[in-house]
Amino acid sequence: MLDGNWRAAVDRGLTPIGRSLRRTGISADAVTTTGIVMASAAAVSIGLGYLRFGLLFLVLTGIPDALDGAVAKASGTSSKRGAFFDSVSDRITDALLFGGIAWHFAGTEPGSTMMLPVAVMAAAMLVSYMRAKAESLGFDAKGGLMERAERFIVLG
């Protein structure tokens, strides 16, 4: 919902930042990889109970996720391979973040509470799969509830 409604305005704001990063020689793949590293730091921080650091790293995870496309467009390297890498990295960061929460719950909450983030992760992966499958069959699958931006907000 947020991605679909605000995407054009956000892209306009990110375009100059993407151009600046391109001038420094940073590639879109490096920006995407930085997001995975930030998600790993968030997951470990959350898992160890450092929730404020986890929130900080969660926010830092979102920045490269927003910027990698702008860098690719600014450098003229937008491609299907890059879109695939970005999509796969999004699933990796989702798994890391939900795994960090499950790890935290496993050590702090009684019973099977730790399974809640696992269930949410499964639902998030299903949403992404359904969108990809629909688009591969020629359907328009943009929009809907709990896209990536909403998941980050709820996770925070």
Side-chain angles (χ1 to χ4, degrees), residues 2 4 14 25 45 50-51 61 89 92 94 102 105 114 123-124 139 144 147 152:
L2 290 178
L14 294 177
S45 297
Y50 300 110
L51 301 182
T61 298
S89 75
I92 291 168
D94 283 351
F105 283 169
M114 69 169 281
F139 296 110
E147 290 181 315
F152 263 56

Side-chain angles (χ1 to χ4, degrees), residues 2-83:
L2 290 178
D3 284 348
N5 292 331
W6 294 0
R7 175 53 80 188
V10 169
D11 283 348
R12 279 192 304 275
L14 294 177
T15 297
I17 299 169
R19 286 186 193 129
S20 296
L21 287 172
R22 178 193 56 87
R23 283 192 292 273
T24 66
I26 296 173
S27 72
D29 286 349
V31 175
T32 301
T33 302
T34 300
I36 295 170
V37 171
M38 290 297 119
S40 299
V44 170
S45 297
I46 293 166
L48 293 173
Y50 300 110
L51 301 182
R52 290 186 180 162
F53 282 119
L55 179 59
L56 172 66
F57 286 121
L58 173 66
V59 170
L60 292 175
T61 298
I63 294 170
D65 185 43
L67 288 174
D68 54 4
V71 172
K73 288 174 189 166
S75 62
T77 58
S78 292
S79 67
K80 289 183 179 180
R81 188 210 59 81

